[in-house]
């Protein structure tokens, strides 16, 4: 364990009031989760190796939020664990919302009518498209940490500004399938579209 990791874990022990043993068990469980995630075929399609994905994951708010939530669960503090995770999700939603609101109208995701036209082209009503967009923006925001090396200097707003019509159409199709509970179909569609 390197000194930075030790400092982070010590901070969590102090901040959450959990034992060292709970943090260590939570760290193992969280690392196992992200290691399994790093082997998902989708990660390979993004051009990252499992090791690169895992290395990037260690610095994300999602990793730290999951670690804290699991440690609280291990200590038997289920309600605190749920509240900690929900607080993380709310922070991510707020960040995604602010970035989306800051988009210029010239950006596709900043032009409501252009987004709705793409939705209509896919057979979606305007209301359905409007309901899917916040989830898509949140998904993009949560994946912001894993953006390609050449795009790491971009702010989240700048990254959202780069979404193209073809990318948005694919994301709308994927989100629609996921919203309908057809996650296997959504995953297959994503994998096919990435080849």
């Amino acid at each position: 364990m390197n000194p930075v990791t030790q400092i982070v874990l010590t901070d969590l022990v102090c901040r959450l009031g959990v034992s060292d043993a709970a943090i260590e068990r939570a760290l193992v469980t969280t690392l196992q989760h992200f290691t399994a995630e790093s082997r998902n075929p989708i990660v390979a399609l993004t051009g990252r190796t499992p090791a690169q994905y895992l290395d990037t994951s260690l610095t994300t708010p999602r990793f730290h939020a999951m670690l804290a939530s699991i440690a609280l669960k291990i200590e038997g503090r289920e309600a605190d664990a749920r509240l900690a995770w929900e607080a993380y999700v709310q922070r991510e939603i707020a960040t995604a919302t602010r970035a989306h609101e800051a988009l210029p109208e010239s950006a596709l995701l900043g032009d409501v009518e252009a987004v709705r036209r793409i939705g209509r082209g896919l057979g979606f009503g305007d209301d359905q498209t409007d309901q899917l967009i916040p989830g898509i923006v949140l998904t993009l925001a949560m994946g912001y940490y894993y953006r390609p090396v050449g795009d790491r200097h971009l702010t989240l707003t700048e990254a959202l500004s780069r979404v193209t019509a073809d990318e948005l159409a694919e994301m709308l199709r994927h989100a629609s399938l996921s919203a309908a509970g057809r996650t296997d179909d959504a995953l297959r569609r994503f994998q096919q579209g990435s080849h």
Side-chain angles (χ1 to χ4, degrees):
M1 194 178 305
N2 67 40
V4 173
T5 305
Q6 189 61 52
I7 290 168
V8 169
L9 297 182
T10 301
D11 176 63
L12 278 174
V13 168
C14 296
R15 191 164 45 85
L16 299 176
V18 296
S19 66
D20 288 339
I23 285 290
E24 288 173 15
R25 282 180 52 205
L27 180 60
V28 169
T29 302
T30 306
L31 284 171
Q32 288 171 340
H33 172 87
F34 279 88
T35 299
E37 206 173 73
S38 75
R39 295 188 187 111
N40 189 305
I42 290 173
V43 171
L45 294 173
T46 66
R48 287 180 188 274
T49 66
Q52 289 169 327
Y53 180 88
L54 189 58
D55 187 50
T56 301
S57 295
L58 298 177
T59 62
T60 64
R62 181 168 160 254
F63 183 91
H64 294 281
M66 188 175 289
L67 178 63
S69 180
I70 291 170
L72 288 165
K73 278 184 189 171
I74 288 170
E75 291 277 283
R77 295 166 55 188
E78 295 283 338
D80 288 342
R82 190 177 62 256
L83 288 173
W85 183 256
E86 288 172 1
Y88 157 72
V89 171
Q90 289 306 313
R91 287 191 302 272
E92 290 296 304
I93 289 171
T95 298
T97 301
R98 283 193 305 272
H100 190 203
E101 288 171 350
L103 286 174
E105 286 184 17
S106 58
L108 176 60
L109 280 173
D111 184 342
V112 174
E113 191 49 42
V115 168
R116 288 177 175 172
R117 271 195 306 276
I118 291 170
R120 284 183 219 126
L122 299 172
F124 302 148
D126 290 351
D127 287 346
Q128 183 182 7
T129 300
D130 291 348
Q131 289 170 5
L132 294 174
I133 291 300
I136 288 171
V137 171
L138 178 60
T139 299
L140 291 169
M142 292 176 85
Y144 173 68
Y145 305 97
Y146 303 100
R147 64 201 183 283
V149 175
D151 290 346
R152 291 210 182 138
H153 65 286
L154 298 176
T155 66
L156 178 55
T157 297
E158 290 167 339
L160 293 175
S161 294
R162 292 185 166 204
V163 172
T164 66
D166 288 344
E167 289 169 338
L168 181 58
E170 192 54 42
M171 286 186 273
L172 281 167
R173 286 187 195 101
H174 183 275
S176 171
L177 289 170
S178 294
R182 295 169 57 194
T183 51
D184 288 345
D185 291 340
L187 179 59
R188 257 192 309 280
R189 178 165 198 94
F190 180 87
Q191 289 173 329
Q192 289 166 354
S194 300
H195 288 308

